[in-house]
Amino acid sequence: MRDDAYLTIEKDVEEVVFKELGSKFINYAFYVRNEEEVKQKLDYLYERWPDATHHCYAYILGIDRKNYRANDDGEPSGSAGLPIYNQLLSAELTNILVVSVRYFGGTKLGVPGLVKAYKYAAQLAIENAEIITRYLTKSAILEFNYDQQGIVERNIERVKGEIINREFTEKCRFTVEVRASLMEEFKNQFDEMYQLKFTELDD
């Protein structure tokens, strides 16, 4: 795997449920790109399950997986967030948030029981997700004449790039996302194209 590739989930997994000694665990896995998206997903779950006993979670962000957090949300220290986090590590995933929403069922599980339950919660969420390879991307703005649109689109397709914005005024202006390791190759495709302006954007 090139150093701009990472494993994550393709789309969110919601409400995978199991019960343990009367307690109900409602489990989620979300694809997230930054801490703001983590917060949005957690806020959504607090609104969805406002009376739940606990919202325990762990997330990992970034290709180096150095940005992470595990939260027990009132469960005994290390009994909830850490087991979830360890499952994310085992699966070698990043840009992912796994949350287990618990409704206490009247019977205490004890720390070993909690560790087992939250580990299983994360396993369930991950097993129900589709694991895919994503890539770090870079962005560029291309400004060109209308008669150059066909070749520009073919060059974008050649590197499996994505046009994330199109503007049509006096000229065409595309904002394009390309896999980071292919950006130089992508840019070089336009060396012979006069009247085309290529501006690589800073991350």
Side-chain angles (χ1 to χ4, degrees):
M1 211 179 274
R2 293 197 195 188
D3 60 5
D4 66 342
Y6 61 93
L7 293 177
T8 190
I9 60 173
E10 182 173 30
K11 57 186 178 183
D12 297 344
V13 173
E14 301 204 25
E15 296 190 27
V16 183
V17 180
F18 74 94
K19 292 183 178 179
E20 183 71 21
L21 293 179
S23 282
K24 185 178 181 181
F25 295 82
I26 309 162
N27 308 295
Y28 295 79
F30 298 107
Y31 171 66
V32 287
R33 290 168 292 187
N34 50 54
E35 289 178 359
E36 180 57 35
E37 290 186 3
V38 170
K39 183 179 182 302
Q40 289 170 4
K41 297 298 186 183
L42 290 172
D43 287 347
Y44 157 67
L45 292 182
Y46 288 130
E47 288 178 18
R48 176 81 178 82
W49 308 104
D51 56 343
T53 319
H54 305 281
H55 291 75
C56 302
Y57 65 87
Y59 65 79
I60 302 177
L61 297 171
I63 200 162
D64 58 6
R65 295 190 287 173
K66 289 181 178 175
N67 185 357
Y68 61 88
R69 187 175 178 197
N71 190 306
D72 297 314
D73 193 35
E75 296 282 31
S77 180
S79 68
L82 197 57
I84 296 171
Y85 171 69
N86 285 335
Q87 291 306 300
L88 301 184
L89 283 183
S90 295
E92 299 184 336
L93 298 172
T94 191
N95 285 14
I96 182 171
L97 164 69
V98 168
V99 186
S100 184
V101 178
R102 181 190 181 196
Y103 280 85
F104 179 57
T107 302
K108 291 189 175 182
L109 301 181
V111 170
L114 288 171
V115 169
K116 183 180 175 184
Y118 284 108
K119 177 182 177 182
Y120 181 61
Q123 281 178 339
L124 265 187
I126 293 167
E127 284 170 5
N128 279 272
E130 185 176 348
I131 307 299
I132 60 166
T133 301
R134 290 186 188 265
Y135 305 97
L136 287 183
T137 59
K138 288 187 173 181
S139 300
I141 293 175
L142 283 68
E143 292 181 75
F144 50 91
N145 296 330
Y146 279 83
D147 61 1
Q148 296 173 306
Q149 184 175 342
I151 191 165
V152 167
E153 289 181 345
R154 283 193 294 278
N155 285 348
I156 293 167
E157 198 174 304
R158 197 170 286 142
V159 294
K160 295 184 170 63
E162 183 181 356
I163 302 168
I164 54 178
N165 190 44
R166 303 170 190 251
E167 295 175 42
F168 299 99
T169 52
E170 288 182 15
K171 288 196 164 194
C172 301
R173 178 184 166 101
F174 285 4
T175 304
V176 181
E177 238 177 38
V178 173
R179 182 175 173 180
S181 62
L182 298 178
M183 179 56 89
E184 200 59 35
E185 175 188 330
F186 177 59
K187 186 176 181 179
N188 290 341
Q189 293 180 129
F190 299 104
D191 281 351
E192 304 300 318
M193 289 184 65
Y194 302 107
Q195 297 182 313
L196 181 141
K197 183 180 177 185
F198 190 106
T199 307
E200 193 171 334
L201 301 176
D202 294 329
D203 294 332

